[in-house]
Amino acid sequence: MTPKEIALAAVRALDEKKGKEIAAIEIADLTALADYFVIASGTSNTQINALCDAVEKALKDLGEMPLRREGYRDGTWVLLDYGCVTVHVFSQEAREFYDLERLWRDGKQVDLTDILTAD
């Protein structure tokens, strides 16, 4: 799978579990960290963990396993590292505090209008 296909599969999984404010940013030209960041918010620790579980299951079904998982115990910012794609799931407060979209504003926002369901 291409990095973009992995990122979009993660977006779909987050959307199916009602993730909030889902975004994908292409950062391949800016850093060697990853090709894409996928960012979403959850409304509670339980939902944040459910969102991450949904991403892991969807990507596992496609043959992709995370290299690393961070933040499950705390539940305010969970990171799933797939090498070329990093998925960040935040509480609303943590998302506002870290503001990854601002930090990576030089990246290319991926148009998700055809993927996300209307609220």
Side-chain angles (χ1 to χ4, degrees):
M1 292 184 74
T2 68
K4 186 171 185 177
E5 289 170 333
I6 294 169
L8 295 179
V11 166
R12 285 186 197 91
L14 292 165
D15 188 51
E16 287 174 11
K17 289 291 182 185
K18 310 289 185 211
K20 305 290 183 200
E21 302 173 18
I22 301 167
I25 306 170
E26 184 179 355
I27 58 170
D29 294 340
L30 304 175
T31 183
L33 289 174
D35 292 336
Y36 290 89
F37 277 171
V38 175
I39 305 167
S41 299
T43 56
S44 67
N45 290 1
T46 303
Q47 187 192 25
I48 290 168
N49 287 329
L51 289 166
C52 292
D53 290 346
V55 169
E56 285 191 90
K57 182 183 181 326
L59 292 179
K60 181 180 181 184
D61 290 348
L62 297 172
E64 300 292 334
M65 299 297 291
L67 303 173
R68 196 172 171 106
R69 287 177 275 174
E70 295 289 336
Y72 264 93
R73 276 186 241 128
D74 185 34
T76 58
W77 178 6
V78 179
L79 179 143
L80 300 172
D81 180 1
Y82 285 89
C84 57
V85 176
T86 304
V87 179
H88 303 268
V89 183
F90 290 98
S91 66
Q92 190 59 45
E93 299 80 22
R95 185 168 183 172
E96 290 170 9
F97 180 80
Y98 292 104
D99 200 2
L100 292 184
E101 287 96 337
R102 182 186 58 76
L103 292 173
W104 293 96
R105 67 180 169 263
D106 292 338
K108 298 175 195 163
Q109 288 286 333
V110 178
D111 182 6
L112 302 176
T113 53
D114 292 339
I115 295 170
L116 300 177
T117 57
D119 287 334

